[in-house]
Amino acid sequence: MGNNHSHFNSKEAVEHVAEMQAKGIVDATEIHGTEIPGHISAATDSAKETALTISIIWLLLIKMSLTHLNIFYGLLTFSIAWLIWKSGRSAWLGWSRLERLHRIVAQEKWEIDHHREQEREELTALYNAKGFEGKLLEDVIDTLMADNNRLLKVMIEEELGLSLESQEHPLKQGLGAALGVIISSFICGIGFFLNPHYGLILASLFTIAIASILFSCYEKNKIIQAVFWNMGIAIFSLGTVYYIQQFIYAV
């Protein structure tokens, strides 16, 4: 009993399982989330950020008495640098998540190898909470305990709330972010040339709206609410830049 309490930190098996499930929820939380595919999340997020950032830089550049072509070159240079940053950062976040997952798996495997009875108690508590009782519960536990690989998978997914199959390759997430930057930059560039005065701003807001719709469709969230909030925040940000500029140049 003393060893059990040291493993469970003086908690009963059910309490320990509940605590580890909560920890698993925290471990699974990322900027891209756990529901929507990572590359889709990276693409829509990068598209929105790119559109807003390009618009802010455009607002700053038009106050510098630069030619239309020079402003375009400035925006193009930024877009290339931004592409490298966003794709690289997204891929690195993916690698970091995989590294953490590997660490969690290794820790759980060590617990299975060295605290087998305690792991059995946790597993029993899990499946008892699911409604398994009596002989059926014992048969399920015995079956799972007989295969270490299956036991490890069950403990990772059931106890910690992590899904081993849902992890995307970091390069795929980086590619998603890169596509988001490229598409957003292209749309903003079209708006820039179609209308030198308002085209880029309108194109950026259009991009933010489309990216918000795509993200909401994958997440099955309210589309109108998502578009309203994303565009509202973007307009507020752009308006802040515009009025700060007006104040500074008026002084």
Side-chain angles (χ1 to χ4, degrees):
M1 182 64 67
N3 290 337
N4 288 358
H5 280 286
S6 64
H7 177 64
F8 294 141
N9 294 325
S10 300
K11 297 181 176 67
E12 295 297 328
V14 174
E15 294 177 337
H16 178 71
V17 168
E19 178 182 293
M20 294 305 290
Q21 284 183 319
K23 179 177 181 295
I25 293 173
V26 174
D27 287 334
T29 302
E30 287 286 333
I31 190 169
H32 302 321
T34 57
E35 297 295 328
I36 185 172
H39 65 287
I40 299 295
S41 178
T44 54
D45 186 64
S46 294
K48 288 184 285 187
E49 287 190 5
T50 300
L52 178 61
T53 309
I54 287 179
S55 296
I56 291 175
I57 294 176
W58 177 77
L59 286 174
L60 297 175
L61 291 178
I62 60 176
K63 288 293 186 179
M64 298 181 181
S65 301
L66 299 174
T67 65
H68 194 62
L69 189 59
N70 284 337
I71 292 177
F72 171 74
Y73 287 148
L75 294 176
L76 178 62
T77 302
F78 164 78
S79 297
I80 294 173
W82 187 248
L83 170 66
I84 297 172
W85 163 251
K86 288 297 294 183
S87 57
R89 178 177 180 272
S90 183
W92 172 249
L93 287 176
W95 281 115
S96 298
R97 182 171 182 172
L98 282 180
E99 182 180 357
R100 183 175 60 189
L101 179 62
H102 292 160
R103 184 173 64 251
I104 292 173
V105 170
Q107 179 182 350
E108 188 63 33
K109 186 177 184 303
W110 187 90
E111 290 188 3
I112 290 175
D113 293 337
H114 294 81
H115 298 285
R116 199 165 187 82
E117 286 305 314
Q118 289 85 346
E119 292 297 302
R120 185 183 182 90
E121 288 186 35
E122 294 177 19
L123 202 59
T124 301
L126 274 170
Y127 280 86
N128 188 35
K130 291 176 180 290
F132 290 84
E133 296 179 348
K135 182 67 166 55
L136 178 59
L137 176 60
E138 293 181 9
D139 290 342
V140 170
I141 300 304
D142 289 340
T143 301
L144 293 175
M145 294 295 296
D147 187 336
N148 282 351
N149 290 330
R150 181 164 50 188
L151 175 61
L152 177 61
K153 185 175 185 295
V154 168
M155 296 305 290
I156 291 294
E157 296 186 350
E158 296 285 348
E159 183 184 29
L160 300 179
L162 299 175
S163 177
L164 299 178
E165 285 80 8
S166 64
Q167 307 303 317
E168 284 189 342
H169 195 284
L171 295 181
K172 188 175 182 179
Q173 297 185 40
L175 179 60
L179 288 176
V181 173
I182 292 172
I183 294 173
S184 183
S185 299
F186 180 74
I187 295 175
C188 290
I190 292 176
F192 178 80
F193 281 108
L194 289 179
N195 189 317
H197 301 291
Y198 306 106
L200 190 144
I201 295 294
L202 294 176
S204 68
L205 292 177
F206 171 78
T207 302
I208 291 172
I210 295 300
S212 301
I213 291 173
L214 291 176
F215 186 89
S216 298
C217 288
Y218 272 96
E219 287 284 290
K220 294 181 174 57
N221 292 334
K222 296 179 180 178
I223 295 177
I224 295 178
Q225 184 176 357
V227 172
F228 174 81
W229 278 105
N230 278 275
M231 290 190 65
I233 295 172
I235 292 172
F236 183 76
S237 299
L238 295 173
T240 301
V241 174
Y242 175 79
Y243 286 110
I244 289 176
Q245 279 187 308
Q246 295 295 102
F247 175 78
I248 292 176
Y249 283 97
V251 174

